[in-house]
């Protein structure tokens, strides 16, 4: 038995070989990839396939095979955007494309409240019925969007920046603000 064979068993050698082969064949580049949101503004009018356009843009930057592996989600209803796993260099290259308005890291937001009773204005002295209340979780209280709400006030704001490329599509009973 040699000194080398007593240090590394045939099984360990095989495991090391398999890990090395996997890294080489599966494209381990040493570049860390994070999920980024690529925002492209509002959806164009007429015949437009957002997912196809998103994949095409990724193919320009990453190559055809890497694009389908990179895309995480294509947003196709309210706005034009997609999420993709990208390296820092790749996200900078995509951000430089003329049709891309912004690229930013995807982030997980924390829960806003775990005290639903207080959040909806009830006190601890409110009349309670544990049998009825059990296994009930209030997830979303949607009161709708009201343009008159203080949240939408543009009081004190100047005009939008000249580089802003968004669109506001007002309708009857709704006007756009700044």
């Amino acid at each position: 038995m040699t000194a080398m064979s007593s240090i590394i068993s045939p099984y360990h050698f095989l495991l090391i070989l398999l890990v090395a082969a996997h890294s080489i064949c599966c494209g381990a580049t040493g570049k860390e990839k994070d999920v980024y949101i690529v925002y492209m503004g509002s959806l164009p009018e007429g015949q437009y396939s957002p997912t196809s356009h998103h994949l095409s843009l990724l193919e320009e930057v990453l190559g055809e095979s890497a694009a389908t592996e990179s895309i995480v989600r294509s947003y196709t209803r309210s706005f034009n955007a997609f999420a993709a796993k990208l390296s820092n260099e790749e996200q900078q290259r995509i951000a430089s494309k003329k049709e891309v308005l912004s690229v930013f890291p995807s982030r997980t937001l924390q829960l806003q409240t775990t005290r639903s009773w207080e959040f909806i204005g009830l006190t601890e002295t409110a009349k309670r019925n544990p049998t009825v209340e059990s296994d009930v979780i209030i997830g979303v209280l949607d009161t709708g969007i009201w343009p008159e709400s203080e949240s939408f006030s543009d009081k004190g704001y100047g005009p939008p920046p000249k580089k802003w490329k968004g669109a506001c599509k007002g309708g009857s009973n709704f006007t756009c603000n700044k």
Side-chain angles (χ1 to χ4, degrees):
M1 193 180 272
T2 66
M4 182 60 105
S5 64
S6 64
I7 295 172
I8 300 175
S9 73
Y11 298 109
H12 286 110
F13 180 74
L14 183 60
L15 179 63
I16 292 168
L17 187 63
L18 285 172
V19 169
H22 177 74
S23 295
I24 292 167
C25 79
C26 297
T29 61
K31 292 182 182 178
E32 195 64 31
K33 293 197 176 200
D34 294 312
V35 177
Y36 288 89
I37 307 295
V38 179
Y39 177 64
M40 301 167 70
S42 46
L43 290 164
E45 298 285 329
Q47 295 284 51
Y48 176 71
S49 172
T51 304
S52 294
H53 187 212
H54 300 160
L55 281 169
S56 173
L57 186 63
L58 277 171
E59 286 173 3
E60 286 179 35
V61 173
L62 307 176
E64 191 172 337
S65 63
T68 53
E69 293 174 12
S70 176
I71 197 157
V72 174
R73 174 100 165 94
S74 191
Y75 303 99
T76 61
R77 302 222 179 215
S78 301
F79 54 92
N80 190 8
F82 63 93
K85 292 181 210 161
L86 304 167
S87 68
N88 188 42
E89 177 190 319
E90 292 165 344
Q91 71 92 9
Q92 288 175 3
R93 286 178 30 214
I94 284 183
S96 70
K97 298 288 185 183
K98 67 177 175 134
E99 63 260 59
V100 174
L101 299 180
S102 64
V103 179
F104 51 92
S106 179
R107 58 191 178 120
T108 302
L109 300 176
Q110 297 301 313
L111 181 66
Q112 295 293 319
T113 181
T114 58
R115 294 168 179 80
S116 296
W117 282 89
E118 295 162 18
F119 184 73
I120 61 176
L122 296 173
T123 64
E124 290 183 31
T125 59
K127 186 177 178 182
R128 311 270 313 259
N129 185 342
T131 305
V132 174
E133 297 168 16
S134 67
D135 298 326
V136 174
I137 298 172
I138 297 174
V140 176
L141 295 175
D142 185 354
T143 59
I145 296 175
W146 297 96
E148 298 83 13
S149 170
E150 278 295 311
S151 299
F152 297 107
S153 173
D154 60 357
K155 191 180 233 177
Y157 287 100
K162 293 194 185 311
K163 67 179 183 177
W164 184 68
K165 298 179 186 176
C168 179
K169 297 180 181 174
S172 59
N173 301 328
F174 181 83
T175 56
C176 299
N177 63 13
K178 299 176 192 168

